[in-house]
Amino acid sequence: MAAPALLLFGLFGLVPLGGVVVLSLTRWDGLGSIGWEGIGNWSSVLTDGATWQALGLTVKVMLVSWLVQTPIALALGVFQAPRGRLRALFAVLFFLPLLLSAVAIGLTWQALLDPSFGIGATPGLHWLAKPLLGSPDLALYTVIFVIAWQFIPFHALLYQAGIRQIPTALYEAAALDGAGPVSRFRHITLPQLKYTMVTSSTLMLVGSLTYFDLIFVLSGGNGGPGDSTRVLPLAMYITGFQAHDMGRASAVATLLVVFGLGLSMLTTRLSGFTRMDSQQEGM
Amino acid sequence: MSATVTKARATTGQEDVLPQTAVTPGPVRPNPVAGILRRALTGSATLCWAALVVVPVYWLVVTSLRSRADFTADSPLALPSHPTLDNYRTLLAGDFTTYLLNSVIVTVATVALTLVVALMAAFAIVRGAGSRLSRVSFRLYLLGLAIPLQAVIIPVYLLIIRMQLYDSLLAIVLPSAAFALPITVMILVSFLRDVPRSLFEAMIVDGAGDWRMLFSLAAPLARPALMTVAVYDGLQVWNGFLFPLILTQSGDKAVLPLALTLYRGQFGIDVPATMAAVVLSTLPMFALFILARRQLVAGLTAGFSK
């Protein structure tokens, strides 16, 4: 019974995982026949400044996104956790970015941030009429902002669910002991959310290796202006599917695999995600 | 973490499976006066967030109702001076319905395929719990969670070409299902694990085989979890962009997210028309949201929130 799933997952998930390493040692334009290349792709990819630029951008997007999204998602999760009518209304609003595709979000923000016709054309909002996506200095931060817009609701949901699982008894006991709201947050909510935080961070960090669709659309498909938003997945796409150099693109993709597996092994080790028992502490 | 923890969970396991529907009371404070600082902080974060969400969505909708001329003349956040549905009429008279149908076919086929094979796999893993095969396959799916889609897209592209599936809807369905499997299997496993063993044993005593246990016990019991993952996987596939971008080519095989980028090329700087396409492509997900809000919330958090 396990066979169909293993077959499907093996064929399209695991075989390509090995396949990408093999392809990184070949020469292929994506259409014709595949020829052996050896380590040529690797030496050219690893000595190419563009690779390191893309890798640096990827790490930057990853870290800044994590720093921006985590506190906001936590605050929103804390606010949403208690049930109530006003909160139910807000909850509907929180969902909207989750329902839109990355392409839809990209197109909307790109038009909205247009310096001539976008939101900056509103009286009183002229300070927003800047080439936010067109300037090499600002584009990356604008992209990180839109990424946050897309993903914060999801992480806020995780925190909300995590908070709702904290036993009320802990708070009652703390209140009896005279703990104020700040110290209850610090000594109960935060520690109890440890695993939620690790899960959310894992998804954010590993997920940031896949920020492709949104940046593809926001930058008009080329990671521009210049190469200021050309993160690793986009560099891989451009090398493989636009410059028709699948061998080199596979080498870049292998870097992504190594990066992704390393990150998730690190965070999984921290979280104990594979354990089959409860992760609730203090009960 | 101790044995008592595991025990405590075993008794409440059923409620823990779907965190969203769990009736564990939230951290409602016995003393409502406390927490003012925290509320001020989270409350203002929430208001800022609400504005950040509402303003772009409002702009998206009003822009889609403007003519091209009004778009440059009107103030961006004002109501349309001459509201019109022309953009929507143009879209619906064109290829939009083809793209919509493609998206529906791809999403329904992927979700159906994923659910069937994932349920079988989860059942096998839970029934064989402790066996080497069960442990190894579970680890493989865990590994799958960490594989970035982009990292394997080139070999997948090669496979699809060799299988002669390039530029077909099936070329999107198969890899999408494969990549939906890890999370789906994990959620179903964590659900089925909490089904009391005695139920299975009772069926074995009655002479039931694995297939009968799957169909008449596991599947009905897992229905809430199946609904949850169906909605979650459906949302992911509906919004998926990379597989369609790389594995299809012709306009008549385009799904909605890909079609949106085609519209941008086609309409050029006609922003209102593009925004109308964005609104139309999202409407089915709004409908799903209104119909299955609970499942959606549960789906989005299931498996992550323990």
Side-chain angles (χ1 to χ4, degrees):
Chain A
M1 266 193 221
L6 276 178
L7 191 75
L8 189 63
F9 179 60
L11 186 61
F12 290 104
L14 299 175
V15 169
L17 208 52
V20 74
V21 181
V22 176
L23 280 174
S24 75
L25 302 171
T26 66
R27 193 178 340 176
W28 182 38
D29 64 3
L31 297 166
S33 54
I34 303 176
W36 193 250
E37 167 77 28
I39 58 159
N41 293 320
W42 279 99
S43 54
S44 95
V45 160
L46 291 178
T47 53
D48 188 350
T51 310
W52 299 105
Q53 153 87 1
L55 191 67
L57 283 180
T58 303
V59 173
K60 193 167 173 184
V61 169
M62 182 185 290
L63 294 179
V64 179
S65 300
W66 185 81
L67 283 174
V68 170
Q69 291 181 47
T70 301
I72 300 179
L74 180 61
L76 292 176
V78 168
F79 180 80
Q80 278 173 278
R83 294 160 205 272
R85 198 168 299 164
L86 184 66
R87 286 184 170 86
L89 178 75
F90 275 122
V92 175
L93 295 179
F94 288 129
F95 272 105
L96 294 174
L98 290 175
L99 301 177
L100 291 157
S101 68
V103 176
I105 291 173
L107 288 176
T108 305
W109 278 99
Q110 196 183 36
L112 189 63
L113 295 176
D114 184 282
S116 321
F117 304 116
I119 191 158
T122 314
L125 290 176
H126 292 309
W127 52 277
L128 273 172
K130 286 198 185 91
L132 290 169
L133 283 164
S135 120
D137 296 329
L138 297 174
L140 189 74
Y141 294 99
T142 311
V143 162
I144 291 173
F145 167 80
V146 182
I147 287 172
W149 193 84
Q150 183 183 9
F151 288 104
I152 281 175
F154 172 72
H155 294 279
L157 262 183
L158 290 186
Y159 283 116
Q160 177 202 320
I163 290 165
R164 284 186 179 172
Q165 290 193 331
I166 301 174
T168 328
L170 291 181
Y171 289 102
E172 284 160 4
L176 280 181
D177 289 345
V182 176
S183 82
R184 274 183 306 200
F185 179 75
R186 259 189 59 199
H187 297 291
I188 301 176
T189 312
L190 275 183
Q192 289 284 329
L193 283 180
K194 193 169 95 189
Y195 289 109
T196 310
M197 212 169 269
V198 176
T199 309
S200 159
S201 301
T202 308
L203 293 171
M204 257 184 219
L205 296 174
V206 177
S208 61
L209 295 178
T210 66
Y211 295 159
F212 170 81
D213 319 12
L214 194 67
I215 306 182
F216 181 87
V217 174
L218 283 174
S219 68
N222 61 16
D227 55 5
S228 58
T229 59
R230 197 172 297 168
V231 291
L232 216 47
L234 210 52
M236 188 274 301
Y237 173 81
I238 291 167
T239 311
F241 294 92
Q242 285 178 0
H244 302 290
D245 192 344
M246 293 292 182
R248 282 193 60 163
S250 296
V252 177
T254 307
L255 289 180
L256 267 178
V257 174
V258 172
F259 216 156
L261 290 182
L263 263 178
S264 94
M265 266 163 64
L266 190 77
T267 41
T268 310
R269 173 148 293 188
L270 288 174
S271 72
F273 205 54
T274 50
R275 268 202 325 269
M276 292 215 177
D277 54 33
S278 169
Q279 293 174 343
Q280 222 162 47
E281 277 195 355
M283 285 300 279
Chain B
M1 303 308 288
S2 63
T4 50
V5 175
T6 324
K7 212 176 248 167
R9 178 163 188 272
T11 52
T12 59
Q14 288 294 356
E15 297 102 279
D16 279 354
V17 172
L18 292 177
Q20 229 26 61
T21 55
V23 276
T24 328
V28 182
R29 303 297 182 283
N31 175 6
V33 186
I36 288 172
L37 175 70
R38 204 182 48 102
R39 277 180 203 195
L41 267 172
T42 59
S44 54
T46 307
L47 280 177
C48 290
W49 182 258
L52 265 178
V53 171
V54 170
V55 171
V57 173
Y58 164 81
W59 177 85
L60 173 62
V61 175
V62 294
T63 302
S64 75
L65 298 172
R66 293 185 215 275
S67 71
R68 217 174 142 177
D70 283 348
F71 174 66
T72 46
D74 284 359
S75 171
L77 292 180
L79 285 169
S81 45
H82 312 92
T84 168
L85 288 172
D86 280 353
N87 295 314
Y88 290 96
R89 275 189 213 110
T90 315
L91 280 172
L92 291 173
D95 286 334
F96 188 86
T97 45
T98 309
Y99 306 139
L100 180 73
L101 190 65
N102 286 342
S103 272
V104 171
I105 293 171
V106 165
T107 307
V108 171
T110 306
V111 170
L113 178 64
T114 309
L115 289 193
V116 171
V117 300
L119 181 64
M120 284 161 60
F123 179 74
I125 288 172
V126 171
R127 288 298 298 150
S131 82
R132 208 178 148 73
L133 183 72
S134 159
R135 274 209 312 271
V136 169
S137 57
F138 192 63
R139 293 260 163 176
L140 282 180
Y141 292 115
L142 273 175
L143 174 82
L145 285 179
I147 306 176
L149 229 71
Q150 289 83 357
V152 293
I153 189 67
I154 295 171
V156 168
Y157 169 72
L158 177 62
L159 265 171
I160 289 290
I161 292 178
R162 289 288 153 93
M163 292 167 81
Q164 316 238 324
L165 290 173
Y166 182 72
D167 203 22
S168 69
L169 293 181
L170 198 56
I172 309 174
V173 171
L174 292 178
S176 302
F179 278 86
L181 272 177
I183 187 71
T184 310
V185 169
M186 281 189 50
I187 292 171
L188 292 179
V189 163
S190 80
F191 192 91
L192 288 178
R193 219 165 34 208
D194 291 325
V195 173
R197 262 175 191 277
S198 53
L199 287 180
F200 290 109
E201 278 152 16
M203 285 201 80
I204 294 173
V205 171
D206 287 349
D210 274 349
W211 288 101
R212 221 183 99 199
M213 277 195 274
L214 176 69
F215 285 121
S216 46
L217 185 64
L221 278 176
R223 230 182 71 180
L226 285 171
M227 297 274 285
T228 291
V229 284
V231 173
Y232 178 74
D233 292 342
L235 187 70
Q236 300 289 322
V237 177
W238 183 269
N239 287 337
F241 177 64
L242 186 73
F243 286 141
L245 173 72
I246 291 188
L247 304 174
T248 66
Q249 188 178 32
S250 346
D252 64 338
K253 299 292 185 321
V255 293
L256 284 172
L258 195 58
L260 288 180
T261 62
L262 298 179
Y263 280 130
R264 179 168 64 173
Q266 185 187 330
F267 295 150
I269 53 158
D270 191 348
V271 175
T274 314
M275 291 306 116
V278 169
V279 171
L280 271 189
S281 78
T282 309
L283 277 184
M285 288 299 107
F286 277 105
L288 183 73
F289 170 65
I290 289 160
L291 283 174
R293 208 184 88 176
R294 261 170 211 285
Q295 256 83 28
L296 189 64
V297 181
L300 286 166
T301 50
F304 298 124
S305 53
K306 279 192 220 166

